[in-house]
Amino acid sequence: RQKKRRFLKGGENLRKQIHEIELALPEQIRLVNDKLQASDQRIGGYLAVYRLRPDRTEERIAQMPPFLVVSVGATMIPERAERSFRLCQEKGRRLLLNPGHVSSWESRNPEEGQFGGAIRTDDYALSFSGLIETADEAVLVETCFSLGLISTLLVERIARASCNPLLSHFFFSD
């Protein structure tokens, strides 16, 4: 069953959509943390938003700065904050440079410092960094799904692409 989109496409709702995402993320971080061992729990990170536009290729968008980078949740120690700020942008750019991918897990390469934590919606490439890698992706998927920004079919594609155990409840029987 498809979830209905609450938001319309277009610039007039862009700020509202992003604001809704920002407001929903802290609660999703809390809910995801409840599924993790205490040693894996984190309290914040950075969200990067890349707006997908029909008049620009994704490769072109990847060369530009993100539409928005914002801190979400509690303040981190400076070293972790700097790394999370950098990684949230790297994940989003890498996802954009792989147009057939729905998750940055599909191009993940830990040896090169490339991790999961970015997803593609119809309108955005969103990335998050600051939690453990599986949680970065899970909070985005849970947030976007709860706001109607991604369908159940796209959620399942992302969950299958990443094999993220925090998304296992989204695997549907064939």
Side-chain angles (χ1 to χ4, degrees):
R1 184 174 156 203
Q2 295 289 325
K3 187 154 179 146
K4 265 191 140 175
R5 292 174 65 108
R6 272 200 316 175
F7 302 116
L8 302 172
K9 291 185 180 183
E12 68 278 358
N13 287 317
L14 181 62
R15 285 191 185 122
K16 181 180 177 184
Q17 288 176 343
I18 292 172
H19 183 67
E20 290 282 339
I21 293 167
E22 286 180 69
L23 291 176
L25 274 171
E27 176 65 10
Q28 292 301 333
I29 291 171
R30 187 190 66 73
L31 292 172
V32 167
N33 272 332
D34 287 346
K35 300 175 187 178
L36 301 173
Q37 295 179 2
S39 60
D40 288 336
Q41 294 179 1
R42 306 286 187 274
I43 52 177
Y46 284 94
L47 168 71
V49 178
Y50 295 85
R51 184 175 179 204
L52 304 180
R53 296 177 44 172
D55 61 329
R56 293 198 177 135
T57 66
E58 291 185 8
E59 185 176 273
R60 173 72 179 118
I61 294 169
Q63 294 171 358
M64 300 166 61
F67 180 78
L68 172 77
V69 178
V70 63
S71 176
V72 176
T75 305
M76 298 177 277
I77 59 172
E79 297 80 27
R80 178 169 280 157
E82 184 179 314
R83 181 176 188 266
S84 296
F85 182 80
R86 180 181 45 77
L87 282 175
C88 79
Q89 294 175 73
E90 184 281 323
K91 294 173 186 182
R93 284 190 187 104
R94 182 166 31 90
L95 182 60
L96 289 168
L97 292 172
N98 291 282
H101 293 184
V102 293
S103 169
S104 61
W105 278 81
E106 295 173 279
S107 59
R108 181 179 183 267
N109 184 350
E111 292 79 27
E112 296 291 322
Q114 299 174 336
F115 302 98
I119 64 169
R120 183 186 313 275
T121 73
D122 290 340
D123 301 318
Y124 308 106
L126 301 165
S127 59
F128 193 83
S129 186
L131 310 176
I132 64 169
E133 185 179 13
T134 52
D136 285 342
E137 180 180 71
V139 298
L140 289 176
V141 170
E142 296 281 3
T143 298
C144 290
F145 184 71
S146 71
L147 295 174
L149 296 174
I150 54 177
S151 68
T152 54
L153 293 175
L154 184 53
V155 170
E156 187 173 4
R157 279 186 62 204
I158 293 167
R160 289 188 188 280
S162 67
C163 297
N164 186 336
L166 295 174
L167 299 176
S168 62
H169 61 286
F170 281 115
F171 283 84
F172 304 107
S173 58
D174 294 312

mmCIF file of all heavy atoms in Angstrom, residues 9 51-58 61 122-123:
data_model
loop_
_atom_site.group_PDB
_atom_site.id
_atom_site.type_symbol
_atom_site.label_atom_id
_atom_site.label_comp_id
_atom_site.label_asym_id
_atom_site.label_seq_id
_atom_site.Cartn_x
_atom_site.Cartn_y
_atom_site.Cartn_z
ATOM 1 N N LYS A 9 5.034 19.076 -4.454
ATOM 2 C CA LYS A 9 6.327 19.464 -5.018
ATOM 3 C C LYS A 9 6.309 20.960 -5.294
ATOM 4 O O LYS A 9 5.265 21.544 -5.545
ATOM 5 C CB LYS A 9 6.577 18.711 -6.327
ATOM 6 C CG LYS A 9 6.814 17.239 -6.128
ATOM 7 C CD LYS A 9 7.161 16.582 -7.437
ATOM 8 C CE LYS A 9 7.395 15.122 -7.242
ATOM 9 N NZ LYS A 9 7.803 14.455 -8.439
ATOM 10 N N ARG A 51 18.639 19.355 -3.097
ATOM 11 C CA ARG A 51 17.362 19.421 -3.798
ATOM 12 C C ARG A 51 17.553 18.914 -5.228
ATOM 13 O O ARG A 51 18.385 19.432 -5.977
ATOM 14 C CB ARG A 51 16.853 20.857 -3.817
ATOM 15 C CG ARG A 51 15.493 20.977 -4.440
ATOM 16 C CD ARG A 51 14.982 22.385 -4.324
ATOM 17 N NE ARG A 51 13.684 22.481 -4.951
ATOM 18 C CZ ARG A 51 13.174 23.598 -5.410
ATOM 19 N NH1 ARG A 51 13.847 24.723 -5.284
ATOM 20 N NH2 ARG A 51 11.995 23.608 -5.968
ATOM 21 N N LEU A 52 16.780 17.897 -5.579
ATOM 22 C CA LEU A 52 16.822 17.369 -6.937
ATOM 23 C C LEU A 52 15.969 18.261 -7.820
ATOM 24 O O LEU A 52 14.844 18.599 -7.471
ATOM 25 C CB LEU A 52 16.314 15.926 -6.960
ATOM 26 C CG LEU A 52 17.054 14.967 -6.033
ATOM 27 C CD1 LEU A 52 16.468 13.566 -6.138
ATOM 28 C CD2 LEU A 52 18.542 14.945 -6.332
ATOM 29 N N ARG A 53 16.534 18.650 -8.943
ATOM 30 C CA ARG A 53 15.828 19.566 -9.839
ATOM 31 C C ARG A 53 15.860 19.010 -11.251
ATOM 32 O O ARG A 53 16.912 18.572 -11.726
ATOM 33 C CB ARG A 53 16.506 20.935 -9.816
ATOM 34 C CG ARG A 53 16.425 21.601 -8.465
ATOM 35 C CD ARG A 53 17.134 22.903 -8.421
ATOM 36 N NE ARG A 53 16.862 23.721 -9.596
ATOM 37 C CZ ARG A 53 17.237 24.970 -9.725
ATOM 38 N NH1 ARG A 53 17.892 25.549 -8.757
ATOM 39 N NH2 ARG A 53 16.976 25.655 -10.808
ATOM 40 N N PRO A 54 14.723 19.048 -11.934
ATOM 41 C CA PRO A 54 14.678 18.505 -13.289
ATOM 42 C C PRO A 54 15.542 19.275 -14.292
ATOM 43 O O PRO A 54 15.955 18.723 -15.302
ATOM 44 C CB PRO A 54 13.197 18.576 -13.669
ATOM 45 C CG PRO A 54 12.553 19.463 -12.679
ATOM 46 C CD PRO A 54 13.438 19.539 -11.476
ATOM 47 N N ASP A 55 15.859 20.533 -13.983
ATOM 48 C CA ASP A 55 16.651 21.331 -14.913
ATOM 49 C C ASP A 55 18.158 21.173 -14.688
ATOM 50 O O ASP A 55 18.951 21.801 -15.377
ATOM 51 C CB ASP A 55 16.255 22.813 -14.818
ATOM 52 C CG ASP A 55 16.490 23.408 -13.439
ATOM 53 O OD1 ASP A 55 16.385 22.659 -12.447
ATOM 54 O OD2 ASP A 55 16.760 24.616 -13.365
ATOM 55 N N ARG A 56 18.567 20.332 -13.732
ATOM 56 C CA ARG A 56 19.990 20.100 -13.473
ATOM 57 C C ARG A 56 20.233 18.611 -13.303
ATOM 58 O O ARG A 56 19.466 17.918 -12.650
ATOM 59 C CB ARG A 56 20.437 20.811 -12.197
ATOM 60 C CG ARG A 56 20.388 22.303 -12.333
ATOM 61 C CD ARG A 56 21.226 22.964 -11.266
ATOM 62 N NE ARG A 56 21.192 24.389 -11.481
ATOM 63 C CZ ARG A 56 21.005 25.279 -10.527
ATOM 64 N NH1 ARG A 56 20.866 24.900 -9.288
ATOM 65 N NH2 ARG A 56 20.989 26.559 -10.808
ATOM 66 N N THR A 57 21.336 18.135 -13.855
ATOM 67 C CA THR A 57 21.687 16.735 -13.672
ATOM 68 C C THR A 57 22.141 16.528 -12.220
ATOM 69 O O THR A 57 22.604 17.466 -11.566
ATOM 70 C CB THR A 57 22.831 16.306 -14.611
ATOM 71 O OG1 THR A 57 24.017 17.017 -14.242
ATOM 72 C CG2 THR A 57 22.484 16.547 -16.073
ATOM 73 N N GLU A 58 22.026 15.303 -11.754
ATOM 74 C CA GLU A 58 22.465 15.009 -10.398
ATOM 75 C C GLU A 58 23.973 15.195 -10.266
ATOM 76 O O GLU A 58 24.460 15.600 -9.221
ATOM 77 C CB GLU A 58 22.019 13.603 -9.993
ATOM 78 C CG GLU A 58 20.515 13.548 -9.822
ATOM 79 C CD GLU A 58 20.008 12.219 -9.313
ATOM 80 O OE1 GLU A 58 20.812 11.360 -8.933
ATOM 81 O OE2 GLU A 58 18.782 12.063 -9.297
ATOM 82 N N ILE A 61 24.384 18.808 -9.604
ATOM 83 C CA ILE A 61 23.972 19.130 -8.237
ATOM 84 C C ILE A 61 25.061 18.705 -7.247
ATOM 85 O O ILE A 61 25.341 19.406 -6.285
ATOM 86 C CB ILE A 61 22.618 18.472 -7.904
ATOM 87 C CG1 ILE A 61 21.510 19.083 -8.784
ATOM 88 C CG2 ILE A 61 22.260 18.656 -6.430
ATOM 89 C CD1 ILE A 61 20.194 18.342 -8.740
ATOM 90 N N ASP A 122 11.981 11.377 -3.983
ATOM 91 C CA ASP A 122 11.633 11.942 -5.290
ATOM 92 C C ASP A 122 12.190 13.346 -5.471
ATOM 93 O O ASP A 122 12.550 13.742 -6.568
ATOM 94 C CB ASP A 122 10.114 11.997 -5.474
ATOM 95 C CG ASP A 122 9.492 10.628 -5.635
ATOM 96 O OD1 ASP A 122 10.215 9.674 -5.986
ATOM 97 O OD2 ASP A 122 8.282 10.504 -5.397
ATOM 98 N N ASP A 123 12.283 14.091 -4.379
ATOM 99 C CA ASP A 123 12.640 15.505 -4.451
ATOM 100 C C ASP A 123 14.013 15.859 -3.894
ATOM 101 O O ASP A 123 14.528 16.937 -4.165
ATOM 102 C CB ASP A 123 11.600 16.344 -3.698
ATOM 103 C CG ASP A 123 10.206 16.157 -4.258
ATOM 104 O OD1 ASP A 123 10.055 16.121 -5.486
ATOM 105 O OD2 ASP A 123 9.261 16.033 -3.447
#
